[in-house]
Amino acid sequence: PRPNIILMGSFGHPNSPMDRASKWLLDDIMPLVWKKMPEVTVIIMGRNSERSQLASSQNRVLVAGTVKSVVPYLRQTDLTVVPLGHESGTRFKIIESGAMALPCVSTTLGAEGLLVKSGKNIQISDNTQDFAASILDLLNDKEKSNALGRALKDLVSQEYSIKCHEKEGRQIIAHLEERFDKCFN
């Protein structure tokens, strides 16, 4: 099977962060990847991607549009990419990647706010050449790719799971109850 990489997000405006990210990915990064691995397919999915990314549709780019679930796509991919260079939103893309034990290549901005460490549980690359090299490295080194994906899954389980947030929520409620008791008793 052809190697797949996925770019997920909300698209729809030429100056939106994800539209700019996909432009950088397809115009600058992927030509470097395709030069060494022409068989790589890029899957672009998310709200309005079918409208804003239609011009990107070529034999190596699949625009999936809005999907009911990313899981079937993630099961058939080799890695996810988050090439955000301007603004940013939620980090669900990286969390979803980790939940599926998939390696992820992101910019610093794309992973901002998460407890990730480049080379340990994610690959951070902030320029075109490094981003392309990271993609190629992970596609060519399955052992490294699998280890990075497992480490990201461990991080997501430990820090971002529902169980983790439930525990944190209970701690907040206990703290508020204690403060309430002190104020009114």
Side-chain angles (χ1 to χ4, degrees):
R2 293 171 62 145
N4 294 319
I5 65 172
I6 289 185
L7 173 66
M8 301 179 281
S10 294
F11 301 84
H13 187 278
N15 293 318
S16 79
M18 289 310 301
D19 283 272
R20 292 167 98 177
S22 65
K23 182 170 177 34
W24 181 42
L25 178 70
L26 296 176
D27 292 351
D28 301 325
I29 297 167
M30 288 311 297
L32 299 174
V33 172
W34 286 324
K35 187 182 254 185
K36 298 198 180 206
M37 290 185 80
E39 69 278 15
V40 175
T41 299
V42 176
I43 301 169
I44 299 175
M45 72 172 64
R47 189 179 65 211
N48 295 320
S49 62
E50 66 280 8
R51 288 193 322 218
S52 68
Q53 302 300 311
L54 198 55
S56 303
S57 290
Q58 48 183 286
N59 65 342
R60 295 186 279 198
V61 179
L62 168 68
V63 180
T66 302
V67 297
K68 287 184 180 183
S69 172
V70 298
V71 173
Y73 291 89
L74 293 175
R75 283 188 179 141
Q76 297 177 37
T77 198
D78 296 282
L79 64 98
T80 61
V81 291
V82 186
L84 284 169
H86 307 281
E87 303 177 26
S88 59
T90 61
R91 303 297 176 265
F92 292 128
K93 301 166 214 37
I94 296 172
I95 304 285
E96 289 169 327
S97 189
M100 298 293 291
L102 285 169
C104 180
V105 180
S106 177
T107 57
T108 300
L109 182 63
E112 186 178 54
L114 293 178
L115 299 172
V116 293
K117 289 193 175 25
S118 188
K120 180 179 178 185
N121 47 32
I122 195 168
Q123 190 60 48
I124 302 290
S125 299
D126 289 315
N127 67 57
T128 301
Q129 290 74 22
D130 290 346
F131 210 101
S134 292
I135 290 171
L136 288 165
D137 183 39
L138 292 173
L139 290 177
N140 286 313
D141 187 340
K142 289 297 180 199
E143 191 174 308
K144 181 177 184 178
S145 179
N146 290 337
L148 209 62
R150 282 191 307 273
L152 186 57
K153 182 178 177 104
D154 290 345
L155 175 72
V156 167
S157 295
Q158 293 166 9
E159 299 293 334
Y160 304 107
S161 68
I162 291 172
K163 191 174 189 177
C164 176
H165 288 297
E166 179 184 5
K167 179 182 172 189
E168 195 173 274
R170 291 183 189 281
Q171 291 170 339
I172 291 168
I173 290 169
H175 175 74
L176 292 173
E177 286 173 340
E178 183 181 308
R179 290 196 59 174
F180 182 81
D181 287 345
K182 286 181 181 177
C183 290
F184 296 103
N185 292 329

